[in-house]
Amino acid sequence: GYQSGSRTSGAYIFRPNEVSPIPIGEPTTSITFEGEFFNEIHQTFFHPLDNMHVSQVIRIPRENTSFLYDLEIEWMVGPIPIDDNKGKEYIHRIHVDGLNNDGMYYTDSNGRQYMERRRNHRPDFDIPDYSVEPVTSNYYPITSSMYMEDKKTDLRLTILTDRSQGG
């Protein structure tokens, strides 16, 4: 059986020690720049106990259509503290108010087609207890994009990545 802390993440599996991520908190600095075509928000986060720096740049086009809103988020992590000899994994969590996807989301399979995913479900086999590895059971590889949508409101969130990641 699975013992907490006995199996670690690897190249093809995400096994965090905690079920819920530890938030890094509110930004320590936030600066807004207004440009001709984009507005940018530059934010830094600093965790004093770990001497950890995380930063992000959010780019928002000045002109959005009434039905489509684009934004670009570029985030950087580092330096990652290693004094405690423990590995660390960082995720970027995005929340959209009013989007109810009923546990359904779609990940690209090969950059050309999407695979339907359902939270805590496998179409081909049963996993007896999702509580053993609840995060690992719901992370999938993303080649270039993933999306989720609210079928009642037609609200959709699509995430495009610049490299293969997990989602």
Side-chain angles (χ1 to χ4, degrees), residues 65-79:
T65 64
S66 61
F67 63 91
L68 179 67
Y69 291 93
D70 294 323
L71 70 99
E72 177 183 335
I73 300 174
E74 179 180 343
W75 63 294
M76 292 76 54
V77 177

Side-chain angles (χ1 to χ4, degrees), residues 83-159:
D83 296 342
D84 59 1
N85 290 321
K86 291 183 181 178
K88 292 158 187 72
E89 297 172 303
Y90 296 87
I91 64 168
H92 195 209
R93 179 175 275 183
I94 299 171
H95 176 80
V96 177
D97 288 334
L99 191 146
N100 181 4
N101 65 332
D102 291 324
M104 300 290 288
Y105 51 104
Y106 303 84
T107 61
D108 67 327
S109 170
N110 54 14
R112 296 181 297 188
Q113 66 185 24
Y114 285 93
M115 300 292 296
E116 180 181 278
R117 310 295 189 179
R118 188 177 315 144
R119 187 168 176 78
N120 294 332
H121 175 76
R122 291 291 184 278
D124 300 332
F125 60 94
D126 290 330
I127 294 178
D129 186 4
Y130 280 94
S131 67
V132 172
E133 289 187 314
V135 176
T136 302
S137 302
N138 291 293
Y139 257 77
Y140 292 92
I142 301 171
T143 306
S144 59
S145 64
M146 74 177 292
Y147 73 91
M148 60 185 69
E149 62 187 351
D150 186 328
K151 298 202 186 265
K152 293 178 184 166
T153 63
D154 287 334
L155 185 63
R156 178 187 275 196
L157 169 68
T158 301
I159 298 172

Side-chain angles (χ1 to χ4, degrees), residues 20-112:
S20 296
I22 301 167
I24 59 172
E26 296 297 318
T28 51
T29 63
S30 185
I31 302 169
T32 302
F33 298 95
E34 293 187 18
E36 184 177 349
F37 301 107
F38 291 91
N39 290 335
E40 284 191 356
I41 303 167
H42 293 221
Q43 296 177 320
T44 59
F45 302 81
F46 178 72
H47 193 278
L49 296 177
D50 289 335
N51 195 25
M52 180 62 212
H53 294 273
V54 176
S55 61
Q56 68 181 5
V57 176
I58 303 168
R59 288 182 193 87
I60 306 166
R62 292 193 53 106
E63 290 188 28
N64 276 307
T65 64
S66 61
F67 63 91
L68 179 67
Y69 291 93
D70 294 323
L71 70 99
E72 177 183 335
I73 300 174
E74 179 180 343
W75 63 294
M76 292 76 54
V77 177
I80 297 174
I82 58 170
D83 296 342
D84 59 1
N85 290 321
K86 291 183 181 178
K88 292 158 187 72
E89 297 172 303
Y90 296 87
I91 64 168
H92 195 209
R93 179 175 275 183
I94 299 171
H95 176 80
V96 177
D97 288 334
L99 191 146
N100 181 4
N101 65 332
D102 291 324
M104 300 290 288
Y105 51 104
Y106 303 84
T107 61
D108 67 327
S109 170
N110 54 14
R112 296 181 297 188

